[in-house]
Coordinates of all heavy atoms in Angstrom, one line a residue:
M1 N 92.0 131.0 36.4 CA 91.4 130.4 35.3 C 92.3 130.4 34.1 O 92.4 129.4 33.3 CB 90.1 131.1 35.0 CG 89.3 130.4 33.9 SD 88.7 128.8 34.6 CE 87.7 128.3 33.2
S2 N 93.0 131.5 33.8 CA 93.9 131.6 32.7 C 95.1 130.7 32.8 O 95.6 130.2 31.8 CB 94.3 133.0 32.4 OG 95.1 133.5 33.5
R3 N 95.5 130.5 34.1 CA 96.6 129.6 34.3 C 96.2 128.1 33.9 O 97.0 127.4 33.3 CB 97.1 129.6 35.7 CG 98.4 130.2 36.0 CD 98.7 130.0 37.4 NE 100.0 130.6 37.6 CZ 100.6 130.8 38.7 NH1 100.0 130.4 39.8 NH2 101.8 131.4 38.7
L4 N 95.0 127.8 34.3 CA 94.5 126.4 34.0 C 94.4 126.2 32.5 O 94.7 125.2 32.0 CB 93.2 126.2 34.7 CG 92.5 124.9 34.5 CD1 93.3 123.8 35.0 CD2 91.1 124.9 35.1
T5 N 93.9 127.2 31.8 CA 93.8 127.2 30.3 C 95.2 127.1 29.7 O 95.4 126.2 28.8 CB 93.1 128.4 29.8 OG1 91.8 128.6 30.5 CG2 92.8 128.3 28.3
A6 N 96.1 127.8 30.2 CA 97.5 127.7 29.6 C 98.1 126.3 29.8 O 98.7 125.7 28.9 CB 98.4 128.8 30.2
V7 N 97.9 125.7 31.0 CA 98.4 124.4 31.4 C 97.8 123.4 30.5 O 98.4 122.5 29.9 CB 98.3 124.1 32.9 CG1 98.6 122.6 33.1 CG2 99.2 125.0 33.7
L8 N 96.5 123.5 30.3 CA 95.7 122.6 29.5 C 96.2 122.6 28.1 O 96.4 121.6 27.4 CB 94.2 122.9 29.6 CG 93.3 121.9 28.8 CD1 93.4 120.5 29.3 CD2 91.9 122.4 28.9
L9 N 96.3 123.8 27.5 CA 96.8 123.9 26.1 C 98.2 123.4 25.9 O 98.5 122.7 24.9 CB 96.7 125.4 25.7 CG 95.3 125.9 25.4 CD1 95.3 127.4 25.1 CD2 94.6 125.1 24.3
T10 N 99.1 123.7 26.9 CA 100.5 123.2 26.8 C 100.5 121.7 26.8 O 101.2 121.0 26.1 CB 101.3 123.8 27.9 OG1 101.2 125.2 27.9 CG2 102.7 123.3 27.8
S11 N 99.7 121.1 27.7 CA 99.7 119.6 27.8 C 99.1 119.0 26.6 O 99.5 117.9 26.1 CB 98.9 119.2 29.1 OG 97.6 119.5 29.0
L12 N 98.1 119.6 26.0 CA 97.5 119.1 24.7 C 98.6 119.1 23.6 O 98.7 118.2 22.8 CB 96.3 119.9 24.3 CG 95.0 119.6 25.1 CD1 93.9 120.5 24.7 CD2 94.6 118.1 24.9
F13 N 99.3 120.2 23.5 CA 100.3 120.4 22.5 C 101.4 119.3 22.7 O 101.9 118.7 21.7 CB 101.0 121.8 22.6 CG 102.1 122.0 21.7 CD1 101.9 122.1 20.3 CD2 103.4 122.0 22.1 CE1 103.0 122.2 19.4 CE2 104.5 122.1 21.3 CZ 104.3 122.3 19.9
V14 N 101.9 119.1 23.9 CA 102.9 118.1 24.2 C 102.4 116.7 23.9 O 103.1 115.9 23.3 CB 103.4 118.2 25.7 CG1 104.3 117.0 26.0 CG2 104.1 119.5 25.9
A15 N 101.1 116.4 24.2 CA 100.6 115.1 23.9 C 100.4 114.9 22.4 O 100.7 113.8 22.0 CB 99.2 115.0 24.7
S16 N 100.0 115.9 21.7 CA 99.8 115.7 20.3 C 101.1 115.5 19.6 O 101.3 114.7 18.6 CB 99.1 116.9 19.7 OG 99.9 118.1 19.8
S17 N 102.2 116.2 20.0 CA 103.5 116.0 19.4 C 104.1 114.6 19.8 O 104.8 114.0 19.0 CB 104.5 117.1 19.7 OG 104.7 117.1 21.1
A18 N 103.8 114.1 21.0 CA 104.3 112.8 21.4 C 103.6 111.7 20.6 O 104.3 110.7 20.4 CB 104.0 112.6 22.9
F19 N 102.4 111.8 20.3 CA 101.7 110.8 19.6 C 101.7 111.0 18.1 O 101.1 110.1 17.3 CB 100.2 110.7 20.0 CG 100.1 110.2 21.5 CD1 99.6 111.0 22.5 CD2 100.4 108.9 21.8 CE1 99.5 110.6 23.8 CE2 100.3 108.4 23.1 CZ 99.9 109.3 24.1
A20 N 102.3 112.0 17.6 CA 102.4 112.2 16.1 C 103.2 111.1 15.5 O 104.3 110.7 16.0 CB 103.0 113.6 15.8
Q21 N 102.8 110.6 14.4 CA 103.5 109.5 13.7 C 104.4 110.1 12.7 O 104.1 111.1 12.0 CB 102.6 108.6 13.0 CG 101.7 107.8 14.0 CD 100.8 106.9 13.3 OE1 100.7 106.8 12.1 NE2 100.0 106.1 14.1
P22 N 105.7 109.6 12.5 CA 106.5 110.1 11.4 C 106.0 109.7 10.1 O 105.2 108.8 9.9 CB 107.9 109.3 11.7 CG 107.4 108.1 12.4 CD 106.2 108.5 13.2
P23 N 106.4 110.5 9.0 CA 105.9 110.2 7.7 C 106.3 108.8 7.2 O 107.4 108.3 7.6 CB 106.5 111.2 6.8 CG 107.7 111.8 7.6 CD 107.3 111.6 9.1
A24 N 105.5 108.2 6.5 CA 105.7 106.8 6.0 C 106.9 106.8 5.0 O 107.1 107.7 4.2 CB 104.5 106.2 5.3
A25 N 107.8 105.8 5.2 CA 108.9 105.7 4.3 C 108.5 105.3 2.9 O 107.5 104.5 2.7 CB 109.9 104.7 4.9
E26 N 109.3 105.6 1.9 CA 109.0 105.2 0.5 C 109.3 103.7 0.4 O 110.2 103.2 1.0 CB 109.9 106.0 -0.5 CG 109.6 107.4 -0.6 CD 110.5 108.1 -1.6 OE1 111.4 107.4 -2.2 OE2 110.4 109.3 -1.8
P27 N 108.6 103.0 -0.4 CA 109.0 101.7 -0.7 C 110.3 101.6 -1.4 O 110.7 102.5 -2.1 CB 107.9 101.2 -1.7 CG 106.8 102.1 -1.6 CD 107.4 103.4 -1.1
A28 N 111.0 100.5 -1.1 CA 112.4 100.4 -1.6 C 112.5 100.4 -3.2 O 113.5 100.8 -3.7 CB 113.0 99.1 -1.1
T29 N 111.4 100.0 -3.8 CA 111.5 100.0 -5.3 C 111.4 101.4 -5.9 O 111.8 101.6 -7.0 CB 110.3 99.1 -5.9 OG1 109.1 99.7 -5.4 CG2 110.4 97.7 -5.4
Q30 N 110.9 102.3 -5.1 CA 110.7 103.7 -5.7 C 111.8 104.6 -5.2 O 112.0 105.7 -5.7 CB 109.4 104.3 -5.3 CG 108.3 103.5 -6.0 CD 106.9 104.1 -5.6 OE1 106.8 105.0 -4.8 NE2 105.9 103.6 -6.3
A31 N 112.6 104.2 -4.1 CA 113.6 105.0 -3.6 C 114.8 105.1 -4.6 O 115.1 104.2 -5.3 CB 114.1 104.5 -2.3
S32 N 115.4 106.3 -4.6 CA 116.6 106.4 -5.4 C 117.7 105.6 -4.8 O 117.7 105.3 -3.7 CB 117.0 107.9 -5.5 OG 117.5 108.4 -4.3
P33 N 118.7 105.3 -5.6 CA 119.8 104.5 -5.2 C 120.6 105.2 -4.0 O 121.0 104.6 -3.1 CB 120.8 104.3 -6.4 CG 120.0 104.6 -7.5 CD 118.8 105.5 -7.1
D34 N 120.7 106.5 -4.1 CA 121.4 107.3 -3.1 C 120.7 107.1 -1.7 O 121.4 106.9 -0.8 CB 121.6 108.7 -3.5 CG 122.6 108.9 -4.6 OD1 123.5 108.1 -4.7 OD2 122.5 109.9 -5.3
S35 N 119.4 107.4 -1.7 CA 118.7 107.3 -0.4 C 118.6 105.9 0.1 O 118.7 105.7 1.3 CB 117.3 107.9 -0.6 OG 116.5 107.2 -1.4
S36 N 118.5 105.0 -0.8 CA 118.4 103.6 -0.4 C 119.7 103.1 0.2 O 119.8 102.5 1.2 CB 118.0 102.7 -1.6 OG 118.0 101.3 -1.2
C37 N 120.8 103.4 -0.5 CA 122.1 103.0 -0.1 C 122.5 103.8 1.2 O 123.2 103.2 2.1 CB 123.2 103.3 -1.2 SG 123.0 102.1 -2.6
E38 N 122.1 105.1 1.2 CA 122.4 105.9 2.4 C 121.8 105.3 3.7 O 122.4 105.3 4.7 CB 121.9 107.3 2.2 CG 122.4 108.3 3.1 CD 123.9 108.8 2.9 OE1 124.3 108.8 1.8 OE2 124.5 109.0 3.9
A39 N 120.6 104.8 3.5 CA 119.9 104.3 4.6 C 120.5 103.0 5.1 O 120.4 102.6 6.3 CB 118.4 104.0 4.3
K40 N 121.1 102.2 4.2 CA 121.7 101.0 4.6 C 123.1 101.1 5.1 O 123.7 100.1 5.6 CB 121.7 100.1 3.4 CG 120.4 99.6 2.9 CD 120.5 98.8 1.6 CE 119.2 98.4 1.0 NZ 119.3 97.7 -0.3
A41 N 123.7 102.3 5.0 CA 125.1 102.5 5.4 C 125.3 102.6 6.9 O 125.6 103.7 7.4 CB 125.7 103.7 4.6
V42 N 125.1 101.5 7.6 CA 125.3 101.5 9.1 C 126.2 100.3 9.4 O 126.2 99.3 8.7 CB 124.0 101.4 9.8 CG1 123.2 102.7 9.6 CG2 123.2 100.3 9.4
D43 N 126.9 100.5 10.5 CA 127.8 99.3 11.0 C 126.9 98.4 11.8 O 125.7 98.5 11.9 CB 129.0 99.8 11.8 CG 128.6 100.5 13.1 OD1 127.4 100.5 13.4 OD2 129.5 101.0 13.8
K44 N 127.6 97.3 12.3 CA 126.9 96.3 13.0 C 126.3 96.7 14.3 O 125.4 96.1 14.8 CB 127.8 95.1 13.2 CG 129.0 95.4 14.1 CD 129.9 94.1 14.3 CE 131.1 94.5 15.1 NZ 132.0 93.4 15.2
N45 N 126.7 97.9 14.8 CA 126.2 98.4 16.0 C 125.1 99.4 15.8 O 124.5 100.0 16.7 CB 127.3 99.1 16.9 CG 128.3 98.1 17.3 OD1 128.0 97.0 17.6 ND2 129.5 98.5 17.3
G46 N 124.7 99.7 14.5 CA 123.7 100.6 14.1 C 124.1 102.0 14.0 O 123.3 102.9 13.7
K47 N 125.4 102.3 14.0 CA 125.9 103.6 13.9 C 126.1 103.9 12.4 O 126.6 103.0 11.7 CB 127.2 103.9 14.6 CG 127.1 103.7 16.1 CD 128.4 103.9 16.8 CE 128.2 103.8 18.3 NZ 129.5 103.9 19.0
P48 N 125.9 105.1 11.9 CA 126.2 105.4 10.5 C 127.7 105.3 10.1 O 128.5 105.7 10.9 CB 125.7 106.9 10.4 CG 125.0 107.2 11.6 CD 125.4 106.3 12.6
L49 N 127.9 104.8 9.0 CA 129.3 104.7 8.5 C 129.8 106.1 8.1 O 129.1 107.0 7.8 CB 129.4 103.8 7.3 CG 129.1 102.3 7.5 CD1 129.1 101.6 6.1 CD2 130.0 101.6 8.4
A50 N 131.2 106.2 8.2 CA 131.8 107.5 7.8 C 133.1 107.2 7.1 O 133.7 106.1 7.2 CB 132.0 108.4 9.1
G51 N 133.6 108.2 6.4 CA 134.9 108.1 5.8 C 135.0 107.0 4.7 O 134.1 106.9 3.9
A52 N 136.2 106.3 4.7 CA 136.5 105.3 3.7 C 135.5 104.2 3.8 O 135.1 103.6 2.7 CB 137.9 104.8 3.9
A53 N 135.1 103.8 5.0 CA 134.1 102.7 5.1 C 132.8 103.0 4.4 O 132.2 102.2 3.6 CB 133.8 102.4 6.5
K54 N 132.3 104.3 4.5 CA 131.1 104.7 3.9 C 131.3 104.8 2.4 O 130.4 104.3 1.6 CB 130.6 106.1 4.4 CG 129.3 106.5 3.8 CD 128.8 107.8 4.4 CE 127.5 108.2 3.8 NZ 127.0 109.4 4.5
S55 N 132.4 105.3 1.9 CA 132.7 105.4 0.5 C 132.7 104.0 -0.2 O 132.1 103.8 -1.2 CB 134.1 106.1 0.2 OG 134.1 107.4 0.7
S56 N 133.4 103.1 0.5 CA 133.4 101.7 0.0 C 132.0 101.1 -0.1 O 131.6 100.4 -1.1 CB 134.4 100.9 0.9 OG 134.4 99.5 0.5
F57 N 131.3 101.3 1.0 CA 129.9 100.7 1.0 C 129.0 101.3 -0.1 O 128.3 100.6 -0.8 CB 129.3 100.9 2.4 CG 127.9 100.4 2.5 CD1 127.6 99.1 2.7 CD2 126.8 101.2 2.2 CE1 126.4 98.6 2.8 CE2 125.5 100.7 2.3 CZ 125.3 99.4 2.6
M58 N 129.1 102.6 -0.2 CA 128.3 103.3 -1.2 C 128.6 102.8 -2.6 O 127.7 102.6 -3.5 CB 128.4 104.8 -1.1 CG 127.9 105.4 0.2 SD 126.1 105.1 0.4 CE 125.5 106.5 -0.6
K59 N 129.9 102.6 -2.9 CA 130.3 102.2 -4.2 C 129.8 100.8 -4.5 O 129.3 100.5 -5.6 CB 131.9 102.2 -4.3 CG 132.4 101.8 -5.7 CD 133.9 101.9 -5.7 CE 134.5 101.5 -7.1 NZ 135.9 101.6 -7.1
K60 N 129.9 99.9 -3.5 CA 129.4 98.5 -3.6 C 127.9 98.5 -3.8 O 127.3 97.8 -4.7 CB 129.8 97.7 -2.4 CG 129.3 96.3 -2.5 CD 129.8 95.5 -1.2 CE 129.2 94.1 -1.2 NZ 129.5 93.4 0.0
C61 N 127.2 99.3 -3.0 CA 125.7 99.4 -3.1 C 125.3 99.9 -4.4 O 124.3 99.3 -5.0 CB 125.2 100.3 -2.0 SG 123.4 100.4 -1.9
H62 N 125.9 100.9 -5.0 CA 125.5 101.4 -6.3 C 125.8 100.4 -7.4 O 125.0 100.2 -8.3 CB 126.2 102.7 -6.6 CG 125.8 103.9 -5.8 ND1 124.5 104.4 -6.0 CD2 126.4 104.6 -4.9 CE1 124.4 105.4 -5.1 NE2 125.5 105.6 -4.5
G63 N 126.8 99.6 -7.3 CA 127.1 98.5 -8.2 C 126.0 97.5 -8.2 O 125.6 97.0 -9.2
E64 N 125.6 97.1 -7.0 CA 124.5 96.1 -6.9 C 123.2 96.6 -7.5 O 122.5 95.9 -8.1 CB 124.3 95.7 -5.4 CG 125.5 94.9 -4.9 CD 125.4 94.7 -3.4 OE1 124.4 95.2 -2.7 OE2 126.2 94.0 -2.8
M65 N 122.9 97.9 -7.2 CA 121.7 98.5 -7.8 C 121.8 98.5 -9.3 O 120.7 98.2 -10.0 CB 121.5 100.0 -7.3 CG 121.2 100.1 -5.9 SD 119.6 99.5 -5.6 CE 119.2 100.4 -4.1
S66 N 122.9 98.8 -9.9 CA 123.1 98.8 -11.4 C 122.9 97.3 -11.9 O 122.2 97.2 -12.9 CB 124.5 99.2 -11.7 OG 124.7 99.1 -13.1
K67 N 123.4 96.3 -11.2 CA 123.2 95.0 -11.7 C 121.7 94.6 -11.6 O 121.2 93.9 -12.5 CB 124.0 94.0 -10.7 CG 125.4 94.0 -11.0 CD 126.1 93.0 -10.1 CE 127.6 93.0 -10.3 NZ 128.3 92.1 -9.4
M68 N 121.0 95.0 -10.6 CA 119.6 94.7 -10.5 C 118.8 95.4 -11.6 O 118.0 94.7 -12.2 CB 119.0 95.2 -9.1 CG 119.5 94.4 -8.0 SD 118.9 94.8 -6.3 CE 117.7 96.1 -6.5
S69 N 119.1 96.6 -12.0 CA 118.4 97.2 -13.1 C 118.7 96.6 -14.4 O 118.0 96.5 -15.3 CB 118.5 98.7 -13.1 OG 119.8 99.1 -12.9
K70 N 120.0 96.1 -14.6 CA 120.4 95.4 -15.8 C 119.6 94.1 -15.9 O 119.2 93.7 -17.0 CB 121.9 95.1 -15.8 CG 122.4 94.6 -17.1 CD 123.9 94.5 -17.1 CE 124.4 94.0 -18.4 NZ 125.9 94.0 -18.5
N71 N 119.5 93.4 -14.8 CA 118.7 92.1 -14.8 C 117.2 92.4 -15.1 O 116.6 91.6 -15.8 CB 118.8 91.4 -13.5 CG 120.2 90.8 -13.3 OD1 121.0 90.6 -14.2 ND2 120.5 90.5 -12.0
D72 N 116.7 93.5 -14.6 CA 115.3 93.8 -14.9 C 115.1 94.1 -16.4 O 114.1 93.6 -17.0 CB 114.9 95.0 -14.1 CG 114.7 94.8 -12.6 OD1 114.6 93.6 -12.2 OD2 114.7 95.7 -11.8
C73 N 116.1 94.8 -17.0 CA 116.0 95.1 -18.4 C 116.1 93.9 -19.2 O 115.4 93.7 -20.2 CB 117.1 96.1 -18.8 SG 116.8 97.8 -18.2
A74 N 117.0 92.9 -18.8 CA 117.2 91.7 -19.6 C 115.9 90.9 -19.6 O 115.6 90.2 -20.6 CB 118.4 90.9 -19.0
T75 N 115.2 90.8 -18.5 CA 113.9 90.1 -18.4 C 112.8 90.7 -19.3 O 112.0 90.0 -19.7 CB 113.5 89.9 -17.0 OG1 113.2 91.1 -16.4 CG2 114.4 89.1 -16.2
K76 N 112.9 92.0 -19.5 CA 111.9 92.7 -20.3 C 112.2 92.7 -21.8 O 111.4 93.1 -22.6 CB 111.8 94.2 -19.8 CG 111.3 94.3 -18.4 CD 111.3 95.8 -18.0 CE 110.9 96.0 -16.6 NZ 110.9 97.4 -16.2
A77 N 113.4 92.2 -22.1 CA 113.8 92.3 -23.5 C 113.1 91.2 -24.4 O 113.7 90.2 -24.8 CB 115.4 92.1 -23.6
M78 N 111.9 91.5 -24.7 CA 111.0 90.6 -25.5 C 110.4 91.3 -26.6 O 110.1 92.5 -26.5 CB 109.9 90.0 -24.6 CG 110.3 89.3 -23.4 SD 110.9 87.6 -23.9 CE 111.3 86.9 -22.3
D79 N 110.2 90.6 -27.7 CA 109.5 91.2 -28.9 C 108.0 91.2 -28.6 O 107.6 90.7 -27.6 CB 109.9 90.6 -30.2 CG 109.4 89.2 -30.4 OD1 108.7 88.7 -29.5 OD2 109.8 88.5 -31.4
K80 N 107.2 91.7 -29.6 CA 105.8 91.8 -29.4 C 105.1 90.4 -29.4 O 104.0 90.3 -28.9 CB 105.2 92.6 -30.5 CG 105.4 92.1 -31.9 CD 104.8 93.0 -32.9 CE 105.0 92.5 -34.3 NZ 104.5 93.4 -35.4
N81 N 105.9 89.4 -29.8 CA 105.3 88.0 -29.8 C 105.7 87.2 -28.5 O 105.4 86.0 -28.4 CB 105.7 87.2 -31.0 CG 105.2 87.8 -32.3 OD1 104.0 88.4 -32.3 ND2 105.9 87.8 -33.4
G82 N 106.5 87.9 -27.7 CA 107.0 87.2 -26.4 C 108.3 86.5 -26.6 O 108.7 85.8 -25.6
K83 N 109.0 86.6 -27.7 CA 110.2 85.9 -27.9 C 111.3 86.8 -27.4 O 111.3 88.0 -27.6 CB 110.4 85.5 -29.3 CG 109.4 84.5 -29.9 CD 109.7 84.3 -31.4 CE 108.7 83.3 -31.9 NZ 108.9 83.0 -33.3
P84 N 112.4 86.3 -26.9 CA 113.5 87.1 -26.4 C 114.2 87.8 -27.6 O 114.4 87.2 -28.6 CB 114.5 86.1 -25.8 CG 113.7 84.9 -25.5 CD 112.6 84.8 -26.5
L85 N 114.6 89.1 -27.3 CA 115.3 89.8 -28.4 C 116.7 89.3 -28.4 O 117.3 88.8 -27.5 CB 115.3 91.3 -28.0 CG 114.0 92.0 -28.1 CD1 114.2 93.5 -27.5 CD2 113.4 92.1 -29.5
A86 N 117.4 89.5 -29.6 CA 118.7 89.1 -29.8 C 119.4 90.1 -30.7 O 118.8 90.9 -31.4 CB 118.8 87.7 -30.4
G87 N 120.8 90.1 -30.7 CA 121.6 90.9 -31.5 C 121.4 92.4 -31.3 O 121.3 92.9 -30.2
A88 N 121.3 93.2 -32.4 CA 121.2 94.6 -32.4 C 119.9 95.1 -31.7 O 119.9 96.1 -31.0 CB 121.3 95.2 -33.8
A89 N 118.9 94.4 -31.9 CA 117.6 94.8 -31.3 C 117.7 94.7 -29.8 O 117.2 95.6 -29.0 CB 116.4 93.9 -31.8
K90 N 118.3 93.6 -29.3 CA 118.5 93.5 -27.8 C 119.4 94.6 -27.3 O 119.2 95.2 -26.2 CB 119.1 92.1 -27.4 CG 119.2 92.0 -25.9 CD 119.6 90.5 -25.6 CE 119.7 90.4 -24.1 NZ 120.1 89.0 -23.7
N91 N 120.5 94.9 -28.0 CA 121.5 95.9 -27.6 C 120.8 97.3 -27.5 O 121.0 98.0 -26.5 CB 122.7 96.0 -28.5 CG 123.6 94.7 -28.4 OD1 123.5 94.0 -27.4 ND2 124.4 94.5 -29.4
S92 N 120.0 97.6 -28.5 CA 119.3 98.8 -28.5 C 118.3 98.9 -27.4 O 118.2 100.0 -26.7 CB 118.6 99.0 -29.9 OG 117.8 100.2 -29.9
F93 N 117.5 97.9 -27.2 CA 116.6 97.9 -26.1 C 117.3 98.0 -24.7 O 116.8 98.8 -23.9 CB 115.8 96.5 -26.1 CG 114.8 96.4 -25.0 CD1 113.6 97.0 -25.0 CD2 115.2 95.8 -23.8 CE1 112.7 97.0 -24.0 CE2 114.3 95.7 -22.7 CZ 113.0 96.3 -22.8
M94 N 118.4 97.3 -24.5 CA 119.1 97.3 -23.2 C 119.6 98.7 -23.0 O 119.5 99.2 -21.9 CB 120.2 96.3 -23.2 CG 119.8 94.9 -23.2 SD 118.9 94.4 -21.7 CE 120.2 94.4 -20.5
K95 N 120.2 99.4 -24.0 CA 120.7 100.7 -23.9 C 119.6 101.7 -23.5 O 119.8 102.5 -22.5 CB 121.3 101.2 -25.2 CG 122.1 102.5 -25.1 CD 122.8 102.8 -26.4 CE 123.5 104.1 -26.4 NZ 124.2 104.4 -27.6
K96 N 118.5 101.6 -24.1 CA 117.4 102.5 -23.8 C 116.8 102.2 -22.4 O 116.5 103.1 -21.6 CB 116.2 102.4 -24.9 CG 115.1 103.3 -24.6 CD 114.1 103.2 -25.6 CE 112.9 104.1 -25.5 NZ 112.3 104.3 -24.2
C97 N 116.7 100.9 -22.0 CA 116.1 100.5 -20.8 C 117.0 101.0 -19.7 O 116.5 101.5 -18.6 CB 115.9 99.0 -20.8 SG 115.2 98.4 -19.2
M98 N 118.3 100.8 -19.8 CA 119.2 101.2 -18.7 C 119.2 102.8 -18.6 O 119.3 103.3 -17.5 CB 120.7 100.8 -19.1 CG 120.8 99.2 -19.0 SD 120.5 98.6 -17.3 CE 121.9 99.2 -16.5
A99 N 119.1 103.5 -19.7 CA 119.1 105.0 -19.6 C 117.8 105.4 -18.9 O 117.8 106.3 -18.1 CB 119.1 105.6 -21.0
D100 N 116.7 104.7 -19.2 CA 115.4 105.0 -18.5 C 115.5 104.7 -17.0 O 114.9 105.4 -16.2 CB 114.3 104.3 -19.2 CG 113.9 104.8 -20.6 OD1 114.4 105.8 -20.9 OD2 113.2 104.0 -21.3
A101 N 116.1 103.6 -16.7 CA 116.3 103.2 -15.3 C 117.1 104.2 -14.5 O 116.7 104.5 -13.4 CB 116.9 101.8 -15.2
K102 N 118.1 104.7 -15.1 CA 119.0 105.7 -14.5 C 118.2 107.0 -14.3 O 118.3 107.7 -13.3 CB 120.2 106.0 -15.2 CG 121.3 104.9 -15.1 CD 122.6 105.3 -15.8 CE 123.6 104.1 -15.6 NZ 124.8 104.4 -16.3
A103 N 117.4 107.4 -15.3 CA 116.7 108.7 -15.3 C 115.6 108.6 -14.2 O 115.2 109.6 -13.6 CB 116.0 109.0 -16.7
A104 N 115.0 107.4 -14.1 CA 113.9 107.2 -13.1 C 114.4 107.3 -11.6 O 113.7 107.6 -10.7 CB 113.2 105.9 -13.3
K105 N 115.7 107.0 -11.5 CA 116.3 107.0 -10.1 C 116.8 108.3 -9.8 O 116.8 108.9 -9.0 CB 117.4 105.9 -10.0 CG 116.8 104.5 -10.1 CD 117.9 103.5 -10.1 CE 117.3 102.1 -10.2 NZ 118.2 101.1 -10.2

């Protein structure tokens, strides 16, 4: 009887681990640039990049992320009346927005 109980418990444990779902991935908008770029750093065969190829890819990916946050800040650069900011006000807003974007990532 104890053998049957042991086999039953073992099979339940194996079955539960086989059907366990992995944790849900973070949405791309909330992922940090490092984790987002790291996840994309694979070659055409699906193998992870390494060495100089990975360094080059990561540099390019971080540059693209920076451009995206700069574009996001530029679209948000509006005054309280909905008019686009210009001059020193825009420069100040962009500087603060970019710093906030970097801190959030």
Side-chain angles (χ1 to χ4, degrees):
M1 185 68 175
S2 64
R3 250 187 181 175
L4 180 61
T5 305
V7 170
L8 181 61
L9 289 175
T10 304
S11 63
L12 286 174
F13 175 73
V14 171
S16 66
S17 62
F19 292 111
Q21 295 180 357
E26 293 181 358
T29 57
Q30 294 179 354
S32 69
D34 287 335
S35 65
S36 177
C37 291
E38 192 76 34
K40 294 177 187 176
V42 293
D43 66 5
K44 62 183 177 181
N45 297 326
K47 295 180 182 176
L49 293 176
K54 184 175 182 179
S55 300
S56 175
F57 178 83
M58 295 296 279
K59 184 176 180 181
K60 181 180 175 187
C61 184
H62 288 296
E64 290 173 357
M65 292 289 207
S66 176
K67 284 181 186 178
M68 287 181 4
S69 41
K70 187 173 184 178
N71 288 340
D72 290 341
C73 289
T75 58
K76 293 177 185 176
M78 301 283 183
D79 67 5
K80 62 183 178 184
N81 297 325
K83 294 181 183 177
L85 293 174
K90 183 176 182 179
N91 291 340
S92 176
F93 177 83
M94 291 294 287
K95 186 176 180 180
K96 183 180 182 312
C97 182
M98 292 297 290
D100 290 345
K102 283 184 181 180
K105 293 178 182 178

